[in-house]
Amino acid sequence: MGLVLTDISAIEAYRRDPVLGQRPSVALPFGKMRGLNLVRPRAAELREFDQRGYVSFSRPVHVLVPHRDMRMAANDVRWHVWSGSLPKSGAGFRRDAQDVFLASPELALLHYASHADLADAIVLAFELCGTYRLGGLLGFEKADPLTSAKRLNWFASGVQGARGAKRLRRIADRALDGSASPMETALAMLLSLPGTLGGYGLPSPRLNARIDVSSKNGLNQSKRYYVADLYWPEARFAVEYDSDRWHVGPERIGQDAARRNALLFQGVNVVTVCSQQIMSESKMDDVARIAARALGRSVRPRAREWRKRNRELRRAVLPHRVDGSGGCW
């Protein structure tokens, strides 16, 4: 008896409890034991799913089984069958409750990628590779990364031929590690995705990259390094996102100014972007042009119907809600 959740259902469990991703993996011998009672769902378990604390999960619920004959008729359940072996990266399952297990983030994303819009799946990959999880009172909260772009690539290579594997490889190639918020994800995706996906086609930045500050630069400062939201080291260019929520008040404004001054003194050109610029189509175009000039590039998307694709991308990456103060994340 037991349930193994995958796809968005597993992701929602990881979001509900950010510590889950750090728990030791559990080995479930998928594909090796035809009578694997440990992951053979029962109708009563599916009926009691809501009462067991999963009432807020989206529908359908995605359940993983090792054999087709383990599926059963059930409302609001989507079955995923996995009868083969899994690569070492992404092979482990996590125990959410006594008899509820979660597919690894890599396997869950593979199943999500098999049916989701590509941009939505890349957004999710940024979250899984980042230091935040959606949910909570503020819309997102800090959390340790669940995976990395490299691990997603390894996993995709290890399951070649599986449904969604090719798409997962495309997602892994576009995902970046280290995003700290949904708006940082949106900014990075808009700037770096190719024109065919509605992005501005600029080189991929490093996210939340450490920039060391020389102690011999003559400035009166206590910090020896700063962290840039988006950073292109070859061009010594950084883009900083000023959140409506966090970058307010005299003390924080002063800290931000000191950081920008120190980086400028180090030869790092810094551009600050706020949520109003990202949310505005025309102002975001201007941000892209400024970044392109700093990187020695030009923004001339050649994809047909680029503006239409850009708007579709914006719908996928930009938040659909604001915080209690009326501002974005």
Side-chain angles (χ1 to χ4, degrees):
M1 58 183 293
L3 292 175
V4 179
L5 303 181
T6 188
D7 203 300
I8 196 63
S9 299
I11 300 302
E12 288 173 345
Y14 288 123
R15 286 171 174 167
R16 183 186 63 177
D17 183 0
V19 179
L20 272 175
Q22 311 310 317
R23 289 183 181 176
S25 297
V26 176
L28 298 180
F30 264 66
K32 295 183 179 180
M33 295 174 60
R34 188 167 183 80
L36 192 58
N37 291 328
L38 181 64
V39 292
R40 183 189 293 275
R42 292 181 177 177
E45 292 173 318
L46 294 173
R47 289 195 300 268
E48 296 168 0
F49 190 75
D50 288 351
Q51 286 72 29
R52 300 170 68 187
Y54 299 93
V55 66
S56 63
F57 280 36
S58 61
R59 295 298 187 271
V61 177
H62 294 261
V63 179
L64 182 67
V65 291
H67 301 290
R68 293 182 179 275
D69 56 10
M70 288 185 176
R71 299 174 298 174
M72 67 185 76
N75 293 329
D76 292 331
V77 175
R78 179 167 179 175
W79 299 98
H80 298 260
V81 178
W82 191 276
S83 57
S85 60
L86 291 166
K88 290 184 178 180
S89 174
F93 295 78
R94 309 298 199 281
R95 187 189 295 270
D96 186 25
Q98 181 60 33
D99 55 354
V100 178
F101 300 85
L102 308 178
S104 68
E106 296 82 9
L107 181 57
L109 184 59
L110 171 77
H111 288 141
Y112 182 77
S114 68
H115 63 84
D117 180 81
L118 182 60
D120 289 334
I122 297 174
V123 171
L124 180 54
F126 267 77
E127 179 187 349
L128 299 180
C129 298
T131 58
Y132 70 92
R133 295 290 168 275
L134 295 183
L137 295 177
L138 299 178
F140 75 96
E141 53 191 351
K142 287 184 63 64
D144 292 330
L146 288 173
T147 186
S148 67
K150 181 179 287 187
R151 286 176 62 185
L152 290 175
N153 247 316
W154 285 342
F155 186 85
S157 298
V159 294
Q160 292 184 30
R163 184 184 179 193
K166 289 184 178 179
R167 176 162 279 213
L168 183 60
R169 172 64 67 84
R170 290 185 67 191
I171 293 166
D173 288 341
R174 298 302 179 188
L176 300 176
D177 297 338
S179 178
S181 74
M183 286 298 277
E184 285 185 11
T185 291
L187 185 56
M189 287 181 61
L190 286 169
L191 290 175
S192 66
L193 287 187
T196 53
L197 295 179
Y200 293 99
L202 299 179
S204 296
R206 296 182 186 177
L207 301 184
N208 290 286
R210 171 172 168 157
I211 303 176
D212 292 316
V213 178
S214 172
S215 59
K216 299 178 181 180
N217 62 12
L219 297 182
N220 296 316
Q221 58 186 29
S222 58
K223 291 201 172 186
R224 292 293 171 257
Y225 71 90
Y226 291 95
V227 175
D229 294 337
L230 283 71
Y231 184 52
W232 290 263
E234 295 80 5
R236 297 191 66 77
F237 173 65
V239 172
E240 290 284 278
Y241 171 62
D242 278 2
S243 166
D244 295 342
R245 178 185 298 159
W246 306 117
H247 294 260
V248 295
E251 183 177 355
R252 185 54 191 262
I253 291 173
Q255 292 173 353
D256 289 344
R259 175 171 62 172
R260 284 192 291 268
N261 290 340
L263 291 175
L264 285 170
F265 199 76
Q266 289 284 120
V268 177
N269 188 21
V270 182
V271 169
T272 300
V273 179
C274 65
S275 62
Q276 287 81 1
Q277 291 171 282
I278 302 176
M279 299 298 285
S280 166
E281 198 174 273
S282 60
K283 291 178 180 178
M284 188 61 213
D285 288 347
D286 290 340
V287 170
R289 292 188 186 99
I290 293 169
R293 175 172 290 186
L295 298 173
R297 300 295 184 96
S298 61
V299 177
R300 296 176 182 171
R302 294 183 175 85
R304 294 183 60 186
E305 299 183 332
W306 176 83
R307 180 57 76 185
K308 177 182 176 182
R309 297 183 185 187
N310 177 253
R311 288 170 179 163
E312 292 172 350
L313 177 60
R314 291 173 63 81
R315 282 193 290 270
V317 304
L318 293 177
H320 301 293
R321 51 165 284 186
V322 294
D323 64 24
S325 67
C328 291
W329 290 315

